[in-house]
Amino acid sequence: QQYWTIQILEGVMFVALCIRMLAFARLNRSIFQLWRVLGAALQQYMYFALLFIPLFLGFCFTAHTIWGRRLFGFDTFWGTIIATLMMINGNVDLEKMSNDDGVWTVIFVVLFFFIFSFFLMNAFTAIMIESMYKVFMSSGNDPKDQNVYWNRDRWMRWMCPQLCMNLAKACRGRN
């Protein structure tokens, strides 16, 4: 039991070390911009997950209801989740599904393909592109066009996590 606890603790420490090393890699301008893009996109992906996950689970429930008793892969709910994820990639045996229930297969596959392939997957890409656009426009791409010298606040924002910066501002505000 202690061996597994130590293994898990070591894994958590390694992930924290990797994150800290990536924070040091922000010295390079390109990596700093990429770091900001990923941070901005991650915030929007959290809101996107509030739309994506319930919609995906709804399709899983529907698929399990339609083919759960008769098709292998849809017999358990977890199997249905895997089979539905495979549908996003296009790995689906439509012949078996349509032999079982043709009308519902057409309705399900058309709705699933339209909603997930056209709408949600393109929205996933659009979030990343929008984040890149915002970061590149706000930071400027050409170092010659902007002031390359950093002031004290900019160095502190680079060295310290946002939580430390907020605590320091709160302490300065109280005095």
Side-chain angles (χ1 to χ4, degrees), residues 59-141:
F59 272 100
C60 289
F61 282 123
T62 305
H64 184 68
T65 303
I66 296 170
W67 300 292
R69 295 183 182 170
R70 296 177 290 257
L71 285 180
F72 180 74
F74 293 95
D75 48 352
T76 65
F77 186 69
W78 298 112
T80 305
I81 290 176
I82 299 298
T84 310
L85 281 172
M86 297 303 282
M87 279 185 198
I88 292 175
N89 289 334
N91 299 334
V92 62
D93 189 6
L94 289 175
E95 188 175 337
K96 283 184 186 177
M97 294 167 68
S98 65
N99 287 342
D100 187 52
D101 196 344
V103 175
W104 279 110
T105 300
V106 171
I107 293 170
F108 182 86
V109 170
V110 167
L111 283 175
F112 185 81
F113 181 73
F114 179 74
I115 289 174
F116 279 92
S117 295
F118 290 128
F119 178 66
L120 292 178
M121 290 303 148
N122 287 330
F124 185 82
T125 307
I127 287 172
M128 184 61 74
I129 292 170
E130 181 192 16
S131 297
M132 286 184 69
Y133 178 73
K134 284 180 180 178
V135 168
F136 287 167
M137 291 305 287
S138 66
S139 65
N141 276 334

Side-chain angles (χ1 to χ4, degrees), residues 32-64:
F32 179 68
Q33 284 182 334
L34 179 64
W35 190 259
R36 287 186 54 209
V37 166
L38 293 176
L42 186 63
Q43 288 177 339
Q44 291 181 1
Y45 284 143
M46 293 298 163
Y47 292 114
F48 181 70
L50 293 175
L51 175 70
F52 182 81
I53 291 172
L55 193 59
F56 180 76
L57 288 176
F59 272 100
C60 289
F61 282 123
T62 305
H64 184 68

Side-chain angles (χ1 to χ4, degrees), residues 16 19-20 23-24 26 32 35 153-169 172:
I19 291 172
R20 190 62 188 158
F24 284 133
R26 294 188 305 177
F32 179 68
W35 190 259
D153 288 335
R154 221 167 151 187
W155 278 107
M156 291 302 290
R157 191 174 42 213
W158 172 78
M159 287 190 295
C160 300
Q162 189 65 33
L163 177 65
C164 295
M165 292 297 293
N166 290 340
L167 289 174
K169 286 180 184 177
R172 275 190 266 151

